[in-house]
Amino acid sequence: MANPELPPDDLPVLGLDADDTLWENEARFHEVEGRFRDLMEPWADGTTTDSALLATERANIARHGYGVKGFVLSMIVTAVELSEGRVEGRWIGDIVSWGHEMLDHPVQLLDGVTDALDRLGTTHRLLVITKGDLNDQMGKVSRSGLADRFWRVEVVAEKDEASYAAVLDRHGVEPSAFVMVGNSVKSDVLPVLGIGGRAIHVPHTTTWALEEPDPVAVAAAEFPTVDRLADVADLLVARSAGRPS
Ligand SMILES: [Mg+2]
């Protein structure tokens, strides 16, 4: 989606992750995982439920994709398995309604994000690259109130080297001139470094188990980490002034 009021085409492009970089996301999943543990209590303890759900998600990520719909399907599959088919239809209905609640939830921006984007937007064209369900991700962009700050928004099925290369190619951006910012080393940092770009890690408090990066790949990679999105602008200024980052 193009915004004609936004920055001139000669500004460099800065990639931004969305979930847990601009707004809260993982916390919503954790909250619902707690409800799911309670629901499964007649058949399994919390640890068993957690590991069964994660195993279902891991086994089905290629089928279900990332996001709320896949999460709901995985809870249903796990509930049927753990209860050996005895889970009642009304409880399946509850699981689906939790998903609807997640999809409709107000977007809670992380602290300082609006000011940080206003600052970054003066020096960069802001390209959001997020993975998950198209409707869910675009709905969050819309409800965030931030949409007019973004040059483009891309929703991809997976954040790997091929998808980053395709996005950058589509927008005429050289990887060597591209910087990506995000909370996931696995999704926002390593694949961008892998295609010759640069990346800045902004960790969030909670990381989904399936977003844990390969420690060997992390040890071999060089990238800066900052505490908050607001610190990214300072880092980019320092870099362009030739100071070490
Ligand atoms: Mg993220």
Side-chain angles (χ1 to χ4, degrees):
M1 100 186 158
N3 186 332
E5 295 180 1
L6 272 188
D9 282 350
D10 55 351
L11 288 180
V13 172
L14 184 70
L16 294 167
D17 171 52
D19 290 335
D20 294 316
T21 296
L22 303 179
W23 50 68
E24 291 286 357
N25 180 64
E26 192 58 30
R28 312 248 177 282
F29 284 80
H30 278 232
E31 199 261 318
V32 171
E33 282 164 1
R35 297 186 207 172
F36 185 62
R37 277 194 290 275
D38 293 343
L39 190 74
M40 289 294 94
E41 219 165 31
W43 300 289
D45 62 34
T47 309
T48 304
T49 297
D50 282 349
S51 55
L53 177 58
L54 184 62
T56 306
E57 291 180 289
R58 197 188 297 276
N60 288 286
I61 201 78
R63 291 190 187 103
H64 294 177
Y66 294 91
V68 173
K69 282 190 284 187
F71 179 54
V72 165
L73 276 174
S74 291
M75 284 191 287
I76 293 171
V77 169
T78 306
V80 171
E81 283 176 2
L82 287 178
S83 71
E84 296 177 335
R86 284 171 290 171
V87 65
E88 293 179 24
R90 62 193 165 107
W91 292 343
I92 302 293
D94 284 349
I95 293 172
V96 173
S97 74
W98 299 341
H100 290 172
E101 196 184 310
M102 292 173 79
L103 291 169
D104 296 338
H105 200 285
V107 174
Q108 185 189 349
L109 299 183
L110 300 183
D111 285 346
V113 158
T114 306
D115 289 346
L117 292 179
D118 282 343
R119 194 169 162 211
L120 290 167
T122 64
T123 55
H124 290 77
R125 288 175 283 164
L126 304 181
L127 166 61
V128 172
I129 306 176
T130 179
K131 71 180 176 192
D133 297 326
L134 181 62
N135 289 351
D136 185 21
Q137 299 306 77
M138 293 308 286
K140 282 187 282 190
V141 169
S142 172
R143 296 200 304 282
S144 73
L146 299 173
D148 62 358
R149 289 169 173 79
F150 303 138
W151 174 63
R152 300 281 192 276
V153 177
E154 287 276 355
V155 181
V156 296
E158 183 60 275
K159 284 172 128 177
D160 53 18
E161 293 187 12
S163 65
Y164 277 107
V167 166
L168 296 187
D169 185 57
R170 192 150 58 240
H171 296 296
V173 178
E174 282 296 322
S176 60
F178 177 69
V179 179
M180 180 72 191
V181 176
N183 72 296
S184 169
V185 172
K186 181 182 177 199
S187 293
D188 304 317
V189 174
L190 296 179
V192 176
L193 300 181
I195 62 165
R198 289 177 296 165
I200 299 170
H201 183 215
V202 188
H204 192 53
T205 45
T206 49
T207 303
W208 184 32
L210 295 191
E211 284 294 329
E212 291 296 344
D214 171 8
V216 176
V218 177
E222 282 188 29
F223 56 88
T225 298
V226 297
D227 290 337
R228 310 168 304 143
L229 191 67
D231 299 331
V232 170
D234 293 329
L235 184 65
L236 293 170
V237 168
R239 271 184 179 174
S240 64
R243 277 172 273 162
S245 52

